[in-house]
Amino acid sequence: MTTEPHSFPRRHARTQRFTLGAPRSFTVAPDGSRVVFLRSGSGTDRANSLWVLDVEEGGERVAADPRALLGGASEDLSPEERARRERSREGGAGIVGYATDSAVELASFALSGRLFAAELRAGTARELPAPGPVIDPRPSPDGRHVAYVARGALRVVGAEGEGDRALAEPESENVSYGLAEFIAAEEMGRSRGFWWAPESDRLLMARVDDTPVQRWWIADPAHPEREPQRVPYPAAGTGNAEVRLFVVGLDGLRTEVAWDRARFPYLAHVHWSAAGAPLLLVQARDQRSQLILAVDADSGATRMVHADEDRTWLDLFPGVPCWSPSGQLVRIADEGGARVLAVGDRPLTGAQLHVRAVLDVSGYDVLISASAGAEAAGEAETGQVHVYRVNELGVERVSQEPGVHAAVRAGTVTVLVSATLNRPGSRAQVLRDGKPTRTVPSYAEDPGMSPRVTLAEGGARRVPCAVLMPRDYDGDTPLPVLMDPYGGPHGQRVVASHNAHLTSQWFADQGFAVVVADGRGTPGRSPAWEKAVHHDFTRSLDDQVEALEDLAKRHPLDLSRVAIRGWSYGGWLAGLAVLRRPDVFHAGIAGAPVTDWALYDTHYTERYLGTPAEHPESYAKSSLVTAEGLSSPAEPHRPLMIVHGLADDNVVVAHALRLSSALLAAGRPHEVLPLSGVTHITPQEQVAENLLLLQVDFLKRSLGMTTA
């Protein structure tokens, strides 16, 4: 097949999957004059700078250059900042996040644990004196102050550097103010722990006490001289952090916000705008009931605005709940078998759309992202996500070309970020009144290859699939099959996007027909589709098999040589495949697999499987290490490679070690590839490159393919 198998893995690793140099993290000024964003200097440069685009003239300028601000010194990240980046899967460097005032004139950001502010009109940046290491600085809406977290204390300083002071300091080593706890950042999509009042005179502040959370130790066996890292990890069925919320003034006086924390312990979302009282979304631990509460910021009392219940679980969605400018509640809900947008008491969308997120709310409409609903979906719509404007008069699609789209908007200016199958990377267009006016340049490298992908549906359940053939394939010879799924909640892999299929195409070019299938449990089709894995993750495997067998009727797939690879949930799925269905799968690569769901975190695992004490049968059925997990026929034993980062604090390496021990006890041959110093993501260039090469070698050996 390809004559240069090393070229793509090296470039893929060096460019962080061809994402470096692409503009991201957009903010639009409310007057539409400026667009602020992050971008590194080239397709191999990890260090992001803060940029400003003049919408009218089209000129760009750097508002903050990390190399200039640090004087050429290397970055020094605190353990807390490293943990925040791990939760957000951030592999970049330099300025990786920023916040602005309401006028988008002042931006603040942390760099190497130090506090900086940038004047966005002037394009100048300065350091503000602050005790470090600084985490998550955010200007007040009026731009007069900057709040930030340092050593677990919430602090505030004047925008010119004056009057730095602590608003709340931790009472013990287990307490922090202004930060999101592990499961909020990892599972709830809440990366923040404080929120400014629109009047800039006070803040909402989370207090997190990790005392109830069990401690795990994560060591680096390659460096026995180093002390293990002590990590609070809330495994399924065990204690969570205690989260409380306070209104705190700039003088440090605080008032606790009161709600039934015993019944609704999860603080999932906070919204505070000029349109109404602060809003909280709080969930019961089983996530089958939740409340939207309005807060009296003076007394801390709350009143219920809306309540939801669901027999399986309630999902969380970006951007909601929030107030519209007229004071109506905006939310996303599962109603009538569809996922709909509701404003006030009225649903504004129906079964034709599967709403994913609220992007912006104006006095005229709501900007959302959505895919085709179950009734409207078909092969022509497979993998597409579009941006829509919705109001009481109807629905208008903003994005036109087939692909995956997202947007940021303020006033009449929208930044539409679009990825398509026929164009590498993504394109960021600036729209005014819906009409393109500018394109924000991208410095990302061209991958130099285009996926040969067919989007389809497989089986009676119409499982969304992507089929990739070698670029030099003759079209007739049956090929060994590589299933390449994620296959679980929150992880859609079948998308109408060029770069999403690059790695799968590279595997295809090594001589495989690659199949990516998004079975039940994956997002994008309907609430019932996503919730079908309730108490039984193994349905994900059933859909992989169904899709494979159906696709083989239309494509030249050699079903006598089928392998599967995956990472995280996909790694668990790969391990499950070779252990439970050796009649279908002849080799597997399980990367960072969750082999025992009792070792994974509370908010994720209990949503789907309940607690281990109440539903032990669900955990046993979905486990790879129990007797039931290894209950497939004694023969044949299929080759399995287990890959795991030893520094992983999300899916800890105990998962891989327990699986290896269980396989050894059962007399099942397997290989284990430990990755020293690697977390749940693999940003290290050499590791990421060689990991792809080692996987191909294993697959070819296991399936009896030539390695020349």
Side-chain angles (χ1 to χ4, degrees):
M1 296 294 171
T2 181
T3 58
E4 296 181 355
H6 294 263
S7 60
F8 174 81
R10 181 171 293 276
R11 295 183 65 221
H12 186 259
R14 190 174 66 243
T15 61
Q16 291 191 357
R17 303 172 303 281
F18 301 96
T19 61
L20 298 179
R24 63 184 181 97
S25 304
F26 294 95
T27 303
V28 181
D31 63 3
S33 63
R34 295 176 306 285
V35 173
V36 185
F37 60 96
L38 299 177
R39 186 179 57 199
S40 64
S42 74
T44 57
D45 181 9
R46 293 179 61 240
N48 290 287
S49 295
L50 185 67
W51 293 78
V52 178
L53 169 70
D54 186 301
V55 174
E56 292 299 327
E57 298 181 359
E60 294 180 354
R61 62 181 181 277
V62 176
D65 180 343
R67 293 183 175 88
L69 293 174
L70 294 179
S74 59
E75 289 186 70
D76 181 18
L77 301 181
S78 67
E80 294 81 5
E81 179 62 21
R82 291 185 186 278
R84 278 173 54 84
R85 296 189 183 192
E86 181 69 21
R87 301 285 71 78
S88 63
R89 310 297 188 260
E90 174 61 67
I95 304 170
V96 299
Y98 68 96
T100 72
D101 61 356
S102 59
V104 192
E105 294 186 352
L106 179 73
S108 63
F109 54 91
L111 189 58
S112 199
R114 294 153 57 183
L115 176 60
F116 292 88
E119 298 287 349
L120 298 175
R121 286 187 183 273
T124 59
R126 63 185 184 279
E127 183 173 3
L128 302 181
V134 169
I135 296 175
D136 195 26
R138 295 181 176 271
S140 57
D142 64 8
R144 297 177 59 189
H145 300 90
V146 177
Y148 64 97
V149 178
R151 302 190 184 280
L154 179 63
R155 306 183 66 89
V156 66
V157 63
E160 299 299 326
E162 76 283 3
D164 183 274
R165 59 198 181 278
L167 301 183
E169 297 186 273
E171 296 85 359
S172 72
E173 65 175 0
N174 295 334
V175 172
S176 65
Y177 285 94
L179 294 177
E181 73 276 21
F182 175 92
I183 55 172
E186 183 68 41
E187 308 296 0
M188 300 182 199
R190 177 171 67 79
S191 60
R192 304 172 55 178
F194 68 90
W195 300 264
W196 277 101
E199 299 82 11
S200 303
D201 59 342
R202 48 191 169 179
L203 304 95
L204 277 170
M205 168 185 69
R207 179 187 186 272
V208 174
D209 185 351
D210 275 332
T211 301
V213 183
Q214 64 183 357
R215 264 49 181 178
W216 285 359
W217 299 89
I218 297 179
D220 184 355
H223 293 277
E225 74 280 5
R226 296 178 183 172
E227 289 190 3
Q229 182 184 1
R230 187 169 181 257
V231 176
Y233 192 92
T238 69
N240 279 312
E242 181 185 79
V243 180
R244 298 161 65 186
L245 194 66
F246 295 85
V247 179
V248 60
L250 296 182
D251 56 3
L253 295 177
R254 70 176 79 166
T255 301
E256 184 164 4
V257 177
W259 78 90
D260 186 354
R261 290 190 294 110
R263 178 71 181 89
F264 299 96
Y266 288 139
L267 177 64
H269 183 79
V270 177
H271 166 79
W272 200 352
S273 70
L279 281 178
L280 313 181
L281 175 60
V282 295
Q283 285 189 322
R285 178 150 178 172
D286 65 11
Q287 299 171 65
R288 291 187 291 179
S289 60
Q290 65 186 24
L291 301 177
I292 300 174
L293 304 173
V295 180
D296 183 323
D298 294 322
S299 68
T302 57
R303 62 177 175 86
M304 188 181 72
V305 177
H306 186 81
D308 287 302
E309 292 188 356
D310 191 284
R311 289 182 299 175
T312 49
W313 70 74
L314 291 158
D315 277 306
L316 301 173
F317 308 104
V320 288
C322 65
W323 295 118
S324 72
S326 62
Q328 290 185 294
L329 180 67
V330 180
R331 59 190 179 91
I332 297 172
D334 293 347
E335 297 181 0
R339 183 153 295 156
V340 302
L341 171 73
V343 178
D345 297 326
R346 181 179 176 184
L348 297 186
T349 61
Q352 295 299 307
L353 289 182
H354 183 74
V355 180
R356 293 169 173 255
V358 167
L359 308 175
D360 182 56
V361 182
S362 73
Y364 306 101
D365 59 25
V366 180
L367 196 70
I368 65 169
S369 66
S371 48
E375 294 183 6
E379 286 197 355
E381 295 288 334
T382 297
Q384 296 192 46
V385 181
H386 285 281
V387 175
Y388 298 84
R389 293 176 57 239
V390 182
N391 58 27
E392 294 184 351
L393 299 178
V395 177
E396 177 188 357
R397 200 166 93 176
V398 176
S399 51
Q400 297 303 317
E401 56 185 343
V404 177
H405 307 266
V408 175
R409 184 180 72 172
T412 62
V413 172
T414 301
V415 178
L416 180 67
V417 181
S418 304
T420 67
L421 277 174
N422 58 9
R423 185 176 61 238
S426 59
R427 181 175 65 188
Q429 288 184 297
V430 180
L431 315 179
R432 185 182 287 280
D433 295 320
K435 298 180 177 58
T437 61
R438 309 285 177 195
T439 298
V440 184
S442 174
Y443 302 153
E445 284 196 5
D446 189 312
M449 60 186 285
S450 293
R452 182 176 173 175
V453 58
T454 301
L455 298 181
E457 294 180 340
R461 296 189 182 91
R462 297 169 41 233
V463 175
C465 297
V467 181
L468 297 100
M469 294 295 186
R471 286 173 293 164
D472 58 359
Y473 177 55
D474 61 18
D476 296 318
T477 307
L479 293 176
V481 183
L482 175 61
M483 302 292 287
D484 193 14
Y486 178 79
H490 311 293
Q492 184 177 4
R493 288 268 284 113
V494 180
V495 291
S497 169
H498 180 283
N499 283 25
H501 301 288
L502 290 174
T503 302
S504 295
Q505 183 61 58
W506 180 78
F507 275 100
D509 288 345
Q510 312 314 306
F512 299 92
V514 177
V515 175
V516 183
D518 282 347
R520 286 170 293 174
T522 58
R525 174 168 286 185
S526 71
W529 180 266
E530 296 178 9
K531 295 176 183 179
V533 295
H534 193 220
H535 290 310
D536 187 0
F537 278 151
T538 67
R539 289 172 182 152
S540 300
L541 177 59
D542 297 339
D543 289 357
Q544 296 292 315
V545 175
E546 178 179 319
L548 171 67
E549 293 177 344
D550 184 56
L551 290 172
K553 300 173 184 177
R554 290 169 277 156
H555 299 274
L557 308 182
D558 180 357
L559 296 187
S560 70
R561 294 186 292 175
V562 178
I564 183 171
R565 67 181 285 270
W567 194 266
S568 197
Y569 190 99
W572 165 81
L573 187 53
L576 187 77
V578 297
L579 294 175
R580 302 280 179 92
R581 296 300 304 270
D583 57 317
V584 176
F585 298 95
H586 308 94
I589 299 173
V594 183
T595 65
D596 182 353
W597 288 99
L599 288 181
Y600 201 58
D601 71 55
T602 52
H603 193 269
Y604 182 98
T605 316
E606 293 172 10
R607 179 192 310 137
Y608 306 116
L609 301 181
T611 63
E614 294 176 346
H615 297 280
E617 72 289 347
S618 297
Y619 282 78
K621 186 172 185 179
S622 298
S623 172
L624 302 185
V625 299
T626 61
E628 185 171 354
L630 297 170
S631 62
S632 62
E635 295 292 343
H637 291 169
R638 300 303 191 188
L640 176 64
M641 173 187 279
I642 305 167
V643 185
H644 217 120
L646 300 181
D648 196 335
D649 67 351
N650 179 22
V651 183
V652 295
V653 74
H655 287 273
L657 297 177
R658 291 188 184 188
L659 176 58
S660 179
S661 296
L663 292 172
L664 186 63
R668 292 174 177 266
H670 61 284
E671 300 179 20
V672 179
L673 179 60
L675 305 177
S676 179
V678 172
T679 61
H680 201 58
I681 55 177
T682 53
Q684 297 92 333
E685 181 177 323
Q686 286 184 320
V687 172
E689 174 192 0
N690 289 322
L691 187 54
L692 287 178
L693 298 173
L694 289 169
Q695 288 181 69
V696 165
D697 178 72
F698 171 82
L699 293 171
K700 289 189 173 184
R701 284 190 286 111
S702 300
L703 296 182
M705 300 166 63
T706 60
T707 57

